[in-house]
Amino acid sequence: MKKLLLSIAVVISGLFIQACTDHTQPFPEPESFTSQAFVSGLKAPIGMAIDDNGNMWVTEAGTGNGNDGSVSMITPSGTKTLYVTGLKSITQEGSAEGIGHLVFHNGKLYFLHGSNGMLYTADVASFKSGDAPVDLAQIPVQDIGTFVKTKKLTDPLNSNTWDLTFGPDGHLYIVDSGANAIVKRHGVTGDLSLFAHFPDVASGVEAVPTGIVYDGTKFLVSTLTGFPFAKDNAKIFQVDTWGNVDIYKSKFTTLTGITLSANNKPIVIHHGAFGQMGFEAKSGKVLDENGKTLLGNISRPTDIIRADNNTYYLMSYQDGTIIKLSY
């Protein structure tokens, strides 16, 4: 009997030790990043996405004067091919604006033009490096901004369709940073509906959502906040599949993008510290969900994406570069 009791005790002890050492995260979270150059010479880059062949698609706002906003494809070796140009580029408070972010899904590229409120859906399955650019007029387009303004979410009315992601059932979810909202686009019919609206992050300070990801159960959304971009006002919101909004993490500042780690933990980018002369030089950062700095000394980052378990790409609007991050 003593031997039986001893054996049971050993088994229970072993199970307890195993439970205590059983990590639910299959991959280590990044503690810091190292970086190396990937692409330079971009004109006010805004967003990027990776297709099934490892090609990167990027949006560039252009010069802020004319119609030189564009979308390009960059091969894994860094060769860039212009896919389409002719998108309106405007200047707002000294910065080039117009085109927004993009997402690749089932051979198609979905990209936004924020100032015009348009969603473009381009079939890029057969496009190859070195091909001639396509005609913008041939790409199917849908007006999102007008729909948003009918909801009268801000006074005065405002819309800036900025980022997007696919969620459950193949529906597309579009962040409108001007209206502080998420619009749901039905995956089959293309019908639009208001999915969620974000509350002010402080008294009289709008949320200004900037990035959205879906982790399999909920959406996570980064926020820039409205002027004067006060320290610690920005939040990461979580939104369930019914559109209910809650705070996920607080005490961030000027977040302009979000991605997920291999363990579905949010990693965000801090655009920079805002001073009397605008955003301070090299004050941008990559942060984990608790605000820990994973990489600093960045010039106004606008997007971050994960390529594999421990490889990410980071875009700098000011420097016109994409760098590769690893840990």
Side-chain angles (χ1 to χ4, degrees):
M1 177 64 73
K2 287 183 179 179
K3 287 185 178 180
L4 177 60
L5 291 175
L6 180 60
S7 297
I8 292 174
V10 169
V11 170
I12 292 174
S13 176
L15 290 174
F16 177 77
I17 292 171
Q18 182 180 4
C20 290
T21 57
D22 181 24
H23 299 292
T24 57
Q25 297 183 165
F27 305 101
E29 287 292 305
E31 296 291 330
S32 64
F33 283 124
T34 58
S35 65
Q36 66 182 85
F38 177 58
V39 170
S40 61
L42 303 176
K43 294 180 180 179
I46 300 295
M48 52 187 167
I50 297 177
D51 67 20
D52 296 335
N53 296 316
N55 298 308
M56 183 180 294
W57 296 82
V58 301
T59 55
E60 298 172 72
T63 61
N65 182 26
N67 296 303
D68 60 350
S70 64
V71 180
S72 296
M73 185 187 78
I74 302 173
T75 66
S77 63
T79 300
K80 178 183 174 183
T81 300
L82 179 66
Y83 175 71
V84 68
T85 190
L87 292 141
K88 186 177 181 181
S89 180
I90 62 175
T91 298
Q92 295 277 11
E93 299 178 358
S95 296
E97 295 182 9
I99 197 167
H101 288 255
L102 70 174
V103 65
F104 177 86
H105 185 71
N106 290 339
K108 292 184 178 179
L109 197 67
Y110 300 78
F111 60 94
L112 294 165
H113 193 283
S115 58
N116 287 348
M118 298 297 178
L119 169 68
Y120 292 87
T121 303
D123 187 341
V124 298
S126 61
F127 189 79
K128 305 181 300 301
S129 179
D131 283 355
V134 304
D135 183 358
L136 179 64
Q138 300 304 311
I139 300 176
V141 62
Q142 184 177 9
D143 186 347
I144 310 296
T146 297
F147 167 81
V148 172
K149 289 178 180 177
T150 65
K151 299 303 176 182
K152 299 180 180 179
L153 300 173
T154 58
D155 185 15
L157 295 180
N158 193 6
S159 174
N160 186 0
T161 48
W162 184 246
D163 198 10
L164 67 174
T165 193
F166 278 90
D169 301 320
H171 303 315
L172 188 62
Y173 293 79
I174 301 168
V175 160
D176 192 304
S177 61
N180 303 300
I182 300 175
V183 174
K184 178 180 176 180
R185 180 183 183 271
H186 195 280
V188 176
T189 66
D191 291 343
L192 304 176
S193 59
L194 179 64
F195 178 68
H197 185 240
F198 296 97
D200 288 353
V201 294
S203 179
V205 180
E206 295 184 13
V208 189
T210 52
I212 182 170
V213 290
Y214 180 64
D215 70 1
T217 60
K218 64 182 179 299
F219 297 91
L220 294 167
V221 178
S222 59
T223 58
L224 176 72
T225 73
F227 185 82
F229 312 119
K231 181 178 171 59
D232 295 338
N233 266 358
K235 296 174 173 53
I236 302 173
F237 284 101
Q238 61 181 22
V239 185
D240 68 19
T241 54
W242 297 98
N244 299 306
V245 177
D246 289 299
I247 296 172
Y248 180 81
K249 294 283 185 177
S250 298
K251 294 191 178 301
F252 290 91
T253 307
T254 62
L255 300 182
T256 49
I258 185 169
T259 191
L260 293 172
S261 72
N263 304 308
N264 278 340
K265 299 288 186 180
I267 293 175
V268 294
I269 45 177
H270 163 57
H271 195 61
F274 192 79
Q276 292 184 346
M277 303 300 292
F279 286 100
E280 298 174 4
K282 298 289 185 179
S283 60
K285 299 176 182 179
V286 179
L287 308 169
D288 71 8
E289 65 171 5
N290 298 311
K292 178 182 177 181
T293 298
L294 305 179
L295 184 72
N297 200 37
I298 306 165
S299 298
R300 300 183 63 183
T302 47
D303 203 6
I304 184 170
I305 57 173
R306 180 170 60 87
D308 57 35
N309 292 335
N310 58 358
T311 304
Y312 297 73
Y313 288 90
L314 177 69
M315 177 175 276
S316 166
Y317 171 91
Q318 184 170 327
D319 292 345
T321 60
I322 299 172
I323 58 175
K324 182 178 180 180
L325 309 181
S326 56
Y327 69 98

